[in-house]
Amino acid sequence: MEDIQNSAPGSVPAGKLGARKGADPSQNAAKRLQTELMQLMTSPAPGVSAFPSGDGNLLAWNATIEGPADTPYSGLTFKLSFEFPSNYPYAPPTVLYKTPIYHPNVDFSGRICLDILKDKWTPAYNIQSVLLSLQSLLGEPNNASPLNGEAAELWDKDPALFKGKVMDRHKDIGDD
Amino acid sequence: MAAAVATSSWKSRRRRVYQSVFQTDISQPTPYSTPSARFTEQGQPFGGHLPLSDLDRQLHHASRTLAASPDAAPAARQPPPGQLQTGDGLYRRDAVASSPFAPTATASFASPQPLPTGPRGQQDAAEDQMRYDRAWHVVTSRIVLPASATAEDSFGTLAPDSQYSQGGGQGVSSEAQFYEALGLVVNAPKVLPRAAHTEDILSWHTQQVRKHFAQHVLPLLSACAEGLLDEEDLRDSTGRGSYEKHMIIVMSSVRTLEAAMRLYSYGMQLLVRGIQRVQTVDKENAATDPELVAGRFRRDVHSLVSNSASPQLIRSLRVVLLHLAGNILGVPAQKRGVNGEGEGVRPAPPSDNDLNSLAARKRLLELLDPLYSVGLAGERFQILFAEIMDGIMCDFVKGAYAGVWVASSEKHGLFRGSAVTGPRPIARAVSSPCVVSLSDWVENHYARLAIEVLSRISDDPSQSPVTLSDVKTYQSLALGRLASLRISELFDIVLAWPSSRGALDDLRAAITTPARRLQLTDCFAAQLQRRLLHPGRSTLEILQTYIAMIRTFHALDHSKVLLSRVSPSLQLYLCGREDAVRIVVTGLLASPDEIRAARNERQMREEQEGTPRGGRQARTPQNGAFMTPALPPRRGLRSRHGTPDVEEPGVRDVPPASAASAGGGTHSTKLVELALLMTDPIQSRRAGGADEDADLDWNDLSWLPDPIDAGANYKRPRSEDVIGTLISALGSPDTFIREFQVIVAERLLSDQARFDQEVRVLNLLKKRFGEAALQNCDVMIRDIHDSRRLDGAIRKVQGVKDGGEQPGTPRPAATTPTNPAPRLRAAAPSSPASAGAPYHARILSRLFWPNLEREHFLLPTPVQDQQKDYEQGYEHLKASRKLTWLNQLGQATVELELQDRTVTLDCKTYEATVIYAFQSPDPGPARRTVSDLEEQLQMDDDLISSALSFWVSKGVLSRRGDVYTVLETAASSSSPPSSSPASPTSAEALPPPTESEPAAPAVVVDEKEAQRRAVYWQYIRGMLTNAAATMPLGQMAMMMKMLIADGFPWSNEELQEFLAEKVGEGELEIVGGKYRLVKK
């Protein structure tokens, strides 16, 4: 929000004004991600966080979602990986669950079925909105187009069993 | 007998073992002290190697006098020396013994018996052998050494006494007997030709001495050494703390050895005297010179002593010598203790009446004589002494001259006025005070001590141990040491320029060989890399150091060969610093005010330098014997220019910042030195007058041949030429000129009224680079002057129109046909007045100016109108040309009337435009977001943001989220948000602020800092949650630097501190050197 607070007022030199234009697309992506990171940091949303992975590549991030209360996932923590294309934000990032999760819209390899990560993506979305969508998906799965049919069935039929399956499947992964 | 043989074979085995250890192949014919008691057990024949019993048997067989039982033979060998016992089977001996041997001996001398033949001959041989054996016994028992030495002086004093008393008891006759016996022993080949087993009495004595020394003296010596030293002394490798103890060790060892030597030489003297007496009898037989023999013996014993001196003794000797020689030469031993402890005392040549030094000298010389007499002054001692002297020279040079960089005062005084840039006369003949005092020290103290010591321990007193050429060698060695010291200090010398000229004199006197020059450049280049050429140094510091380097090296070596060897790495590094050229150019363009300030400051600094110098001299006498007037104490020096202490390497790296600011003054933002140099008449004259025929100048008395290590294309530079060298270090002149153009363009477009400095620098640069290279700059300056004229003309036309011109503010405004930069002076928000605001332009000739980008945005309507008018006016004057406006480059004066105050500010046109956009006719609050403004002004959002933050910083706008609001009252934070209604009085009708904003800037800073820390904490949490669970500090710092768009200003240390705070708050923990979030 206060993204210009650190720049000294009136400090745009004449030279910079000229040379500012025309960066290559991946630099744009990096710049955008940097800005998004700053946003995430200055106004963090509860229960979600994201950060570039430690290898110095700004196009690969890791994220964490805490399972919302009043859902079977309450109290659990899920790790995700984000991979951004070089033309981000004009194309959606690839998002995967790293933590094994039992969920109607997530398959066993962590792939997610979420429209905004596919055809409904617009550049107006950002990492935070994606994370919040995923968080809400935990409480309200889209059972109409399940990747995990059994889970979709159990969700309505047998919440207790579902919860058990969730707990069975969940396994905290260590880092690295 | 069988038992006796067994015993003797066992004994002989034991002897062989012993001999293998002590290298003794000479027999021990007599027992040590009580011959009668152990005579048979000795198992040695008189002079023979066969076991005694065998010999006896042979003898008895030979003489055929075996009437008596063989058992009597051992008994016969029992009589004490000098006392003859009648025994059966030994009647011949009786006969001999009853009369003194002398007659027999003389008789045999007089008429040598015919060679024995047959049984008779054998009998004679036995007889001779017996006589010889007896004489041998007499002699050896007289000079035998005491067998044991329990106390230090038991053999030192008692033994000779006992021998004398023994001699006294037996009276003159025993003395005579001794000499007789000696005569027999020495002349055995002639007197007793048939005695088969004879031996050299001298070598026997030598051997005896060796054995005695090994068995009795050495243990005593090691007892001397070990008894006194405790663990701590042993650990202390220099042994400085325990000089007294070491002195005691040396003294007691020497005393022990002296006593032993007395004992050994007593026997030797007896022998020598006896031999002399014997030989006076028979002159013809003087084959061996007894003096020669005694000398050989002495050498033998000395080498024995010095070779067997224990390491402990040598160590103690080293400590003692070091201490004494150190005191004599004025290198106080305690100085090297703990850092800073003995700091006050610098080594200095002692004065003639320095009691400490005199006492030490006396002590040392006293010590030397006994050392020499006991043989401890041999080769090892000389090596030791040489090492110590070498160490002392090092210490002296290091201690006395490190950091003493004072030039010879008179000369310095002369040039003080023009010292800043003045050329230094080539002063080859004049040595620096350090060199003078050093060679004086070497000649009068060092060499003197060497002569004194070496002459005392020299075996050949006729030859002087130290020749004049040796002294010269010492001096050149000392100079070499001084050179390496200065070389290691060179970087600090450069930093301290120009107060370090004296050090350069030293160095110049010392670097005379290519090898030393190479050493100098290598060492300096390494220091340069380590201390200057790293990211921790600002470009300004590097450039300042480079200037100092150019000047220092010029003073050191006019040929520039040395500089050219150290500067490439620096030049290469400077190429990586983008701001280098800019700093140089702005330095060149420093205003006269800045130059004056720098000059004043330099004068002040020199005055300050002057005061401690006087004070130092006043203080000198109090510093006692170790100070000489020529050598100021270090402390004064340090206070003068804050040079890093050479002895504290840890500190050394840090000070260049302070040292640079001390050397370059406090004008740390600009390279004002350059402006000073530029205006210096000497510099510019030299730079201008490049004399091609320099080598043909026969009158040049300071001519030198090219340095031996100069490169192939070497061309002798004519002058110091700091600016030229500096500029050439920045790459080609083209780059420099291009950058110069850009900077001059910026300055020409600023609101500066006059450009005298620029014109002056331009003219100076023209001399250097030529007219053509700087033609563009000429045009640029002419543009500015022309536009003033043109502006006046256009204003005249317009002046009729609006009449709002104020002659007092003639701001030139100009545009070129295609590339104009407008200057507007407009009270932007005051719409009624804006029509009358004067509007000026500067007209630039596009082709000659650096490429200026055009930013598009909509000017406020009144200004736009004026711009149109101006354009028309211009086209009226210059019909064929058209103006293109560069709106973002202008300047405006803005007057804002707010509810409680009026703000008048000079600002950029785009800033004025943005604030103008906040003007609204509505009584409601004037709020804008960036995107509002973007739409309204068609301005780039970067520019808008920058303008908004400018106004926020001026306290005109406040920001909440994305919305910017006008702050109608300055102290609005204290006023309730709703209490101030819209002010109808203000022409702009700016709305009152609806929010509170911190008023005090200090609070803002704190809050900002707190915000920043909170954000950083978020980053760290995000990092440790998502990137990796544990991270080391360095990686975190790196990620932060990479990821935070505005840059991460913290150093690793600051980050570490911050993380430590978080650890303290229980948010973080450190596991294995890595940080980790505490799981909750």
Side-chain angles (χ1 to χ4, degrees), chain B residues 339-340 343 346 398 402-403 405 489 492 531 634-635 637-638 642-653 655:
Chain B
N339 243 3
E343 190 63 27
R346 294 189 77 125
K398 254 194 212 110
W405 302 334
E489 286 180 335
D492 296 308
R531 293 178 57 180
R634 177 65 162 287
R635 196 152 292 158
L637 182 94
R638 193 185 300 164
T643 324
D645 192 343
V646 182
E647 284 149 10
E648 298 159 22
V651 191
R652 275 174 103 189
D653 254 15

Side-chain angles (χ1 to χ4, degrees), chain B residues 479-480 483-484 487-488 490 507 510-524 561-562 565-566 707-710:
Chain B
L479 202 58
S484 2
I487 285 172
S488 66
L490 188 55
L507 206 48
I511 46 158
T512 42
T513 61
R516 280 208 189 131
R517 288 163 72 96
L518 195 64
Q519 188 199 350
L520 179 137
T521 49
D522 284 353
C523 177
F524 188 80
V561 172
L562 293 182
R565 281 208 234 127
V566 294
I708 194 167
D709 44 359

Side-chain angles (χ1 to χ4, degrees), chain B residues 747-758 784-785 788 808 810-812 823 842:
Chain B
R747 292 170 73 105
L748 289 177
L749 290 179
S750 71
D751 54 355
Q752 207 172 309
R754 299 181 62 80
F755 300 100
D756 298 344
Q757 179 70 10
E758 282 77 2
I784 299 299
H785 285 297
R788 276 187 202 167
R811 296 235 169 179
R823 322 229 118 218
R842 285 180 184 163

